[in-house]
């Protein structure tokens, strides 16, 4: 079992927990996974503390998962153990739905129990299937043009991502009024959040775009889209790829997932077609790759090949997909993430990176699908 680091992991610092809580988590893991090497993963977030338990060679596996079957014994050669404060608890029903709908990309997940840490704070403990792969954030290029070798790898990545979105479409449900079926944190407040953005975003151009999107949403333009279980943070660090081929191997962290009209998480596609340049002395800029249009076409080609043409090819559905994408961009980047709360509208002082993404993704500085960088001036 590994010793606690002298420097507290971000989860413990962020939540005002003590160094002794690290040892409590490690002890809990060791008790439930004997004969395993317990180590923290390299990247830790603010909402969870994640360990990996690896069964030692020649040792017997003791399965401590509730309702586990013999077929799942293989899972315990390597298993993810995750500790989450209850305010950031993983909805197990949602996680199980994800693993069923998006097999084999979403990990099988079970709740193992609870542990009490500092100040009598209860923490949820989950165990998850270990999915091999590297976070795409670790391999994604941070330069404006891609080499032929990287472009070929990116094509594999975009094809498998298009397949993931096609699965989302195919497993969705149709409703007369999709928004009435969306009862989660974002879905139930979608229109009111757009209304807030239309009044408070820090530039006239952004406020107008939010208003147009709100009007489209109120008119029922999203009604032609299925409602799908939608990942709530589909960013490069939550996408696992084979480091050799860049094929998508896993989608992790389904804690914020909920039912939403298909296409709202297309903001993810924009993140994957470029990078955030934070070197500017003035403020961050999102820069699209020179090959972004080519890669976007690869994505949509893969999507169209797996979704029946009659389902998506009408102008009505394509318009709805565009609106859904704009809704996602506005909601995910128009509100700041403040310790789990997503109610504060971004501003020019504190949220430069969110503004850079929002400007670029909405294409305010370049019409007609041309390559565009984030260069919109903040005029209020």
């Amino acid at each position: 079992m590994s010793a606690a680091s002298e420097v507290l992991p971000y989860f413990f610092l962020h939540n005002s927990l003590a160094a002794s809580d690290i040892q409590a988590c490690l002890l809990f893991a060791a008790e439930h996974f004997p004969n395993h090497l317990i180590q923290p993963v390299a990247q830790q977030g603010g909402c969870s503390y994640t360990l990996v338990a690896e069964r030692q060679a020649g040792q017997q596996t003791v399965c401590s998962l509730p309702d586990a079957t013999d077929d799942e014994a293989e899972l315990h050669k390597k298993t993810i153990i995750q500790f989450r404060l209850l305010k950031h608890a993983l909805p197990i029903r949602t996680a199980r739905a994800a693993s069923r709908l998006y097999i084999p990309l979403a990990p099988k997940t079970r709740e193992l129990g609870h542990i009490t840490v500092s100040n009598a704070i209860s923490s949820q403990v989950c165990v998850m299937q270990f999915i091999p792969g590297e976070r795409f954030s670790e391999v994604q290029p941070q330069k404006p043009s891609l080499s032929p070798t990287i472009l070929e790898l990116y094509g594999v990545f975009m094809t498998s991502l298009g397949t993931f979105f096609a699965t989302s479409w195919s497993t969705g449900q149709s409703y007369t009024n999709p928004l009435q079926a969306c009862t989660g944190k974002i879905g139930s407040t979608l229109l009111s959040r757009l209304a807030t953005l239309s009044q408070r975003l820090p530039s006239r151009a952004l406020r107008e775009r939010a208003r147009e999107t709100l009007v489209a949403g109120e008119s029922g333009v999203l009604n032609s889209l299925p409602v799908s279980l939608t990942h709530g943070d589909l960013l490069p660090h939550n996408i696992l790829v084979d480091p050799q081929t860049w094929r998508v191997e896993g989608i992790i962290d389904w804690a914020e997932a909920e039912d939403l009209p298909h296409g709202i998480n297309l903001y993810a596609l924009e993140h994957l077609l470029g990078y955030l340049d934070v070197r500017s002395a003035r403020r961050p800029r999102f820069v699209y790759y020179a090959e972004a249009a080519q890669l976007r076409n690869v994505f949509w080609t893969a999507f169209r090949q797996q979704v029946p043409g009659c389902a998506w090819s009408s102008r009505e559905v394509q318009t709805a997909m565009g609106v859904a994408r704009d809704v996602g961009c506005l909601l995910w980047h128009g509100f700041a993430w403040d310790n789990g709360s997503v109610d504060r509208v971004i501003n020019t002082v504190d949220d430069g990176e969110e503004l850079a993404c929002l400007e670029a993704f909405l294409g305010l500085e370049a019409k007609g699908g041309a390559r565009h960088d984030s260069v919109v001036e903040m005029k209020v």
Side-chain angles (χ1 to χ4, degrees):
M1 181 170 62
S2 64
S5 171
E6 293 182 1
V7 178
L8 287 178
Y10 182 57
F11 171 74
F12 296 90
L13 291 172
H14 185 67
N15 294 289
S16 301
L17 300 178
S20 59
D21 294 322
I22 300 177
Q23 294 295 345
C25 291
L26 292 170
L27 180 61
F28 183 97
E31 289 176 345
H32 286 79
F33 286 87
N35 304 323
H36 287 66
L37 175 66
I38 310 294
Q39 293 182 314
V41 299
Q43 292 188 28
Q44 300 284 350
C47 295
S48 63
Y49 180 55
T50 305
L51 306 172
V52 59
E54 183 174 4
R55 179 164 58 85
Q56 297 300 283
Q59 299 294 324
Q60 293 293 319
T61 293
V62 178
C63 181
S64 61
L65 287 174
D67 303 321
T69 65
D70 292 340
D71 292 338
E72 293 171 317
E74 189 71 11
L75 171 69
H76 301 286
K77 286 185 177 180
K78 228 176 204 183
T79 303
I80 294 295
I81 309 168
Q82 192 169 84
F83 299 82
R84 309 180 67 95
L85 298 188
L86 294 187
K87 64 181 179 180
H88 300 307
L90 175 65
I92 298 302
R93 181 177 297 180
T94 299
R96 287 180 174 175
S99 66
R100 182 180 70 255
L101 295 172
Y102 297 105
I103 189 172
L105 299 182
K108 294 180 180 179
T109 303
R110 286 183 172 81
E111 185 174 84
L112 186 57
H114 293 80
I115 181 176
T116 301
V117 291
S118 293
N119 302 318
I121 297 174
S122 182
S123 175
Q124 178 195 43
V125 187
C126 297
V127 290
M128 304 172 187
Q129 173 189 6
F130 177 86
I131 299 178
E134 192 164 358
R135 295 174 188 262
F136 190 69
S137 56
E138 295 298 304
V139 300
Q140 185 177 14
Q142 304 292 303
K143 57 180 65 175
S145 187
L146 307 176
S147 69
T149 299
I150 294 299
L151 187 59
E152 182 176 356
L153 291 171
Y154 233 120
V156 173
F157 174 70
M158 281 295 168
T159 297
S160 51
L161 190 71
T163 299
F164 171 73
F165 272 81
T167 300
S168 176
W169 176 286
S170 301
T171 57
Q173 300 292 319
S174 296
Y175 296 92
T176 303
N177 187 337
L179 291 183
Q180 290 184 353
C182 300
T183 58
K185 182 177 182 179
I186 298 300
S188 62
T189 60
L190 189 149
L191 295 179
S192 63
R193 287 177 179 274
L194 288 176
T196 298
L197 293 176
S198 71
Q199 298 172 2
R200 300 183 186 176
L201 279 170
S203 79
R204 183 178 297 111
L206 290 174
R207 290 194 297 271
E208 178 61 21
R209 186 59 168 271
R211 189 193 68 80
E212 293 173 353
T213 306
L214 171 63
V215 170
E218 291 176 332
S219 72
V221 72
L222 299 176
N223 291 356
S224 59
L225 300 175
V227 172
S228 307
L229 181 61
T230 302
H231 193 287
D233 192 26
L234 191 57
L235 297 178
H237 62 270
N238 284 328
I239 302 174
L240 301 179
V241 299
D242 181 316
Q244 302 301 318
T245 66
W246 285 21
R247 176 184 173 183
V248 175
E249 298 292 336
I251 307 291
I252 59 175
D253 194 359
W254 290 82
E256 305 299 326
E258 62 179 87
D259 288 336
L260 291 170
H262 178 84
I264 283 184
N265 60 351
L266 279 169
Y267 65 83
L269 178 60
E270 306 307 314
H271 276 281
L272 299 168
L273 293 174
Y275 64 98
L276 197 63
D277 184 356
V278 298
R279 297 170 300 174
S280 172
R282 186 178 180 192
R283 65 185 179 91
R285 300 171 63 248
F286 188 89
V287 181
Y288 279 93
Y289 301 131
E291 300 82 6
Q294 177 181 345
L295 294 173
R296 192 185 298 273
N297 184 62
V298 172
F299 170 87
W300 286 112
T301 296
F303 177 85
R304 289 193 295 264
Q305 286 176 345
Q306 297 173 72
V307 175
C310 59
W312 59 263
S313 59
S314 73
R315 182 176 297 275
E316 177 187 14
V317 171
Q318 292 183 13
T319 298
M321 289 276 277
V323 172
R325 170 199 169 280
D326 285 359
V327 169
C329 291
L330 285 161
L331 296 185
W332 263 258
H333 293 289
F335 290 96
W337 192 93
D338 294 328
N339 194 26
S341 174
V342 284
D343 298 316
R344 178 178 65 82
V345 176
I346 59 173
N347 61 63
T348 57
V349 176
D350 305 305
D351 309 297
E353 293 185 6
E354 301 293 350
L355 277 172
C357 291
L358 197 55
E359 294 166 3
F361 297 173
L362 295 179
L364 297 175
E365 65 282 16
K367 303 298 182 181
R371 180 190 177 204
H372 48 265
D373 295 338
S374 175
V375 295
V376 173
E377 297 294 331
M378 289 292 98
K379 297 178 180 178
V380 297

